[in-house]
Amino acid sequence: MTDHRPGSEQPGHIPDGSAGEDRWLLVAVAGMLSFVAMLDMNIVNVALADIADGLHVSAPTAQWAVLGYQLSVVALLLPVGRWLDGVGMRSAVLAATAGFAMCSALAAAAPWAAWLIAARIAQGAFGAALFVLMPVLALRSVRPEKRGRAMSVPATLGPLGAVTGPAVGGLLLDHLGWHAVFLVKIPFCVLALVVAWRAMPPDGALRRPDRRSAADALLVAAGVAALLLALTLASGRPAWLVLALAAVPPLWWWLRGPGGRPVTGVLGVAGLFRAHGAVLALAAGFAAMHYVVALNLQRDHGVSATTTGLTVLAFPLGMGLAGPLGGRLADRYGARPTAVTGAALTAAGLLLLVPLGGDWPPLDVAWRLALAGIGMGLNGGPTQALVMGAAPPERTATVGSTVQLARSLGFTLGPALATAAWGLAGAANGVHAGLAVAATAACLAVPLLALPARRPAAGPEKTTDAASAAHR
């Protein structure tokens, strides 16, 4: 018999809605922190020139204020996910949120570049923990039959943070300076800390990673960092893709060891590997589209920055409107059909961009982006519910980390592939080639999600059934 009294929970567990209680306040915390963590991925980009001037450093040095955070996040996702499977959820949320806020304050107060870069690398470590924790927190805060709606909150607000980051950063930069780009996240973190402290029951304490875990973290960090650097630098010079070969030895060594085997075992659960592929493909398609559209409107068609921003805003607007609907549809009709429908709409919107003529009227671009955004909104929560619901209960943080890694690699891979296609196709056809890459990536996600799992399910596939798939 399980004891559910306060303080008796197992590490990594908070009471879920199975007893009839839904904790929507905690779902809101998950969404808010997902928004903040993804906002931080893009908001600093617009301030790099001001940071370089303010700290008297070169532009490539200032660029590490972004790269340091991104590298730290992506490199530590898998080790952090493995570690968080064995610690208390409340303690982990409080520590990650407080550390993220503290590093934001340190970055804003940086008197020189080395201080700023160190603060951003440390903030990326706490950001990796937030990325892993948020879907797990949403999953465990509601009853299984409400899982689609709960997962749609962080799955929608996270990407919205990414696409609104440049606009928010520009406003802060114009009126308050580059320090405000880092300080703006602190009030959200403080609010999340207060709510989590009061609403989450006490559970297991944090524990220090053992020596084996530290060694696994170094191997994964080395491999993923090499891969991410190769993809990032290849957008300027494709020859940098050779650097990706350096990722193979450490990742292979890790996969063969005790740290990697549980991760590969989890991905062997029916349908999980294909779902991860769909997440990566949709992220790559979205990132490639965003890169090509913004660049083409401003550079090749002379559209103002304001008009470009309003045009591209059609995508997050459609996504924000469709996100809650996607969760409701998943709870009523099943996660998989809703996710497939969303992926198909996203693919349709991106495909309609490819044959656009040379004029590129912003209105014609906007409604196609809105259609793709609606698809992403319908897809995000159901796909997250499908993946997290199929995860073994003792490995939810690990699955959360693998999903976030797939999404992060997709965000990095998309622009690199679009740039390569643009260069190969030449100036006359580069835009169409870049958009074709985006549309192809989105189209790949449809069969990846639509194909049934190898192991047959007993009964209709709903979000309420997904958890049992891990044990069959």
Side-chain angles (χ1 to χ4, degrees):
M1 182 174 180
T2 304
D3 185 1
H4 292 291
R5 291 172 298 174
S8 65
E9 291 81 6
Q10 296 300 312
H13 174 77
I14 66 172
D16 59 25
S18 59
E21 182 182 1
D22 296 321
R23 297 170 176 264
W24 289 104
L25 198 58
L26 294 181
V27 175
V29 169
M32 180 167 54
L33 289 176
S34 294
F35 180 88
V36 169
M38 288 294 287
L39 179 79
D40 209 70
M41 296 287 281
N42 286 335
I43 193 172
V44 181
N45 283 309
V46 298
L48 290 179
D50 289 66
I51 290 172
D53 292 340
L55 297 180
H56 309 291
V57 296
S58 65
T61 300
Q63 180 71 23
W64 277 95
V66 175
L67 284 178
Y69 178 81
Q70 293 177 335
L71 285 172
S72 187
V73 167
V74 177
L76 292 175
L77 278 171
L78 291 178
V80 164
R82 290 279 294 115
W83 174 62
L84 289 174
D85 272 326
V87 303
M89 176 67 67
R90 181 177 185 265
S91 302
V93 169
L94 294 176
T97 306
F100 191 89
M102 180 183 67
C103 290
S104 291
L106 289 173
W112 53 79
W115 176 311
L116 174 62
I117 293 169
R120 292 290 287 166
I121 291 173
Q123 188 172 23
F126 290 109
L130 288 180
F131 279 121
V132 174
L133 286 167
M134 292 312 100
V136 180
L137 180 60
L139 177 79
R140 295 177 177 172
S141 296
V142 298
R143 288 169 290 170
E145 59 266 27
K146 301 290 184 67
R147 188 171 288 158
R149 272 169 277 188
M151 298 303 292
S152 70
V153 175
T156 302
L157 290 180
L160 285 178
V163 296
T164 57
V168 174
L171 288 173
L172 293 172
L173 196 64
D174 289 341
H175 295 90
L176 299 173
W178 68 266
H179 303 277
V181 168
F182 299 105
L183 293 174
V184 69
K185 294 156 286 189
I186 296 179
F188 295 99
C189 293
V190 171
L191 178 60
L193 278 172
V194 172
V195 174
W197 179 273
R198 295 176 62 89
M200 295 183 72
D203 58 9
L206 293 177
R207 58 175 174 80
R208 293 178 60 183
D210 56 26
R211 190 171 299 178
R212 177 71 254 180
S213 298
D216 286 340
L218 288 175
L219 289 173
V220 175
V224 175
L227 181 60
L228 185 63
L229 274 174
L231 294 175
T232 301
L233 298 174
S235 61
R237 292 186 62 186
W240 278 107
L241 283 174
V242 177
L243 182 61
L245 296 175
V248 175
L251 290 178
W252 177 256
W253 194 1
W254 172 73
L255 284 170
R256 301 278 291 180
R261 284 195 295 269
V263 175
T264 55
V266 162
L267 291 179
V269 172
L272 272 186
F273 188 79
R274 289 198 301 271
H276 280 67
V279 169
L280 189 151
L282 282 172
F286 159 72
M289 173 277 297
H290 194 273
Y291 170 79
V292 172
V293 168
L295 186 63
N296 188 52
L297 282 173
Q298 283 192 271
R299 193 186 71 178
D300 297 338
H301 293 281
V303 178
S304 68
T306 300
T307 303
T308 299
L310 290 175
T311 302
V312 176
L313 192 63
F315 187 96
L317 182 61
M319 185 174 181
L321 291 174
L325 175 62
R328 290 182 176 275
L329 291 175
D331 288 336
R332 183 168 183 178
Y333 299 108
R336 190 178 302 278
T338 308
V340 171
T341 301
L345 286 176
T346 298
L350 298 186
L351 282 169
L352 288 171
L353 283 170
V354 177
L356 271 180
D359 294 337
W360 265 54
L363 189 60
D364 285 349
V365 176
W367 75 259
R368 290 166 168 83
L369 293 181
L371 177 63
I374 289 171
M376 285 288 278
L378 291 176
N379 172 272
T383 298
Q384 197 90 320
L386 191 69
V387 173
M388 297 300 295
E394 70 280 5
R395 290 285 180 261
T396 51
T398 295
V399 173
S401 69
T402 56
V403 172
Q404 295 296 347
L405 179 60
R407 184 175 287 114
S408 298
L409 290 177
F411 284 144
T412 306
L413 182 62
L417 290 175
T419 301
W422 195 323
L424 290 172
N429 299 308
V431 174
H432 297 288
L435 291 174
V437 167
T440 300
C443 288
L444 285 175
V446 178
L448 287 173
L449 287 170
L451 290 173
R454 288 185 300 271
R455 287 177 250 182
E461 181 180 8
K462 302 275 182 138
T463 55
T464 54
D465 302 328
S468 62
H471 304 291
R472 289 198 294 268

